[in-house]
Amino acid sequence: MSADLDVDLAVRLLGGTPTHEGRDPVLLRHWAVAATEFGHRMTPRAAAVRVVDRDGGLDAGLLARYRSRPPVVEVYTDTVERAERLVVERGWRHWFPEGSVRAAALAHEQAHAWLHHTAVRAEFKRVLGHTALRFGRRRLYAYVAGADEVAAHAYAHAVCGLGRSPLLLTEALAAAVSCESEN
């Protein structure tokens, strides 16, 4: 049941992504399921990536960010702390154990780094099946905006052994921070 709810979150993420306005909900669901399954199956190679703790993530709307040159993951400690408090406020500790927010953020960014590899990116596009150009039997697969986020959340969900997708926490955190900034 929670897998269906997590796919619904992924469909909402894709549907709210510019370029997908007016897309068929069945197509969005297909992409959400394909990206989620891809993320669950991903097996990124360990890479030496420096991790840097920063503040200012709440204002920027960031939990963590991967930068490829040089490879670094920035973890926004203020956002991690707010997310941990939100887990307690919502009674979600059984889904997101203590320390799992940071672990999921790091795993999420590791997935983004993995998705930068040419062969991985090509396979991901093929799995999504969004055709940009067809010439006879040959196809050129296109990028699907937002699908990489869905896959990265799914990877973090699987590798951290969470009860729900971190996408649930990300969506709830965005709503909570937005509400707090309005008050």
Side-chain angles (χ1 to χ4, degrees):
M1 183 61 159
S2 65
D4 291 337
L5 296 174
D6 290 339
V7 169
D8 290 343
L9 291 171
V11 170
R12 259 201 325 266
L13 183 147
L14 292 174
T17 302
T19 73
H20 295 323
E21 304 95 342
R23 293 237 193 228
D24 182 351
V26 173
L27 178 60
L28 294 175
R29 180 163 289 283
H30 166 76
W31 286 340
V33 168
T36 299
E37 289 173 355
F38 189 88
H40 283 162
R41 288 191 320 268
M42 279 184 10
T43 54
R45 279 178 284 174
V49 175
R50 193 167 59 101
V51 177
V52 177
D53 287 340
R54 299 207 186 289
D55 265 341
L58 286 172
D59 293 335
L62 295 170
L63 191 60
R65 174 173 47 189
Y66 170 72
R67 293 180 182 252
S68 60
R69 294 185 185 165
V72 65
V73 173
E74 299 169 331
V75 177
Y76 293 91
T77 55
D78 58 332
T79 312
V80 170
E81 289 167 8
R82 181 61 187 101
E84 286 286 358
R85 286 195 317 272
L86 185 63
V87 166
V88 171
E89 291 165 12
R90 296 280 175 101
W92 293 347
R93 188 54 76 196
H94 60 288
W95 288 332
F96 304 101
E98 183 98 25
S100 66
V101 171
R102 181 182 175 85
L106 290 170
H108 180 99
E109 298 310 323
Q110 181 185 20
H112 278 299
W114 186 243
L115 287 165
H116 273 111
H117 292 276
T118 304
V120 176
R121 188 173 50 245
E123 176 62 13
F124 187 44
K125 287 179 182 180
R126 189 195 64 69
V127 164
L128 292 169
H130 182 41
T131 303
L133 180 67
R134 182 181 288 169
F135 186 72
R137 294 183 316 177
R138 296 197 180 269
R139 290 177 186 230
L140 176 64
Y141 292 105
Y143 173 77
V144 175
D148 54 339
E149 280 299 308
V150 173
H153 279 295
Y155 173 72
H157 181 191
V159 78
C160 293
L162 303 174
R164 289 289 306 273
S165 169
L167 190 50
L168 173 67
L169 184 55
T170 301
E171 187 176 270
L173 181 62
V177 169
S178 176
C179 185
E180 290 165 3
S181 67
E182 290 174 4
N183 295 329

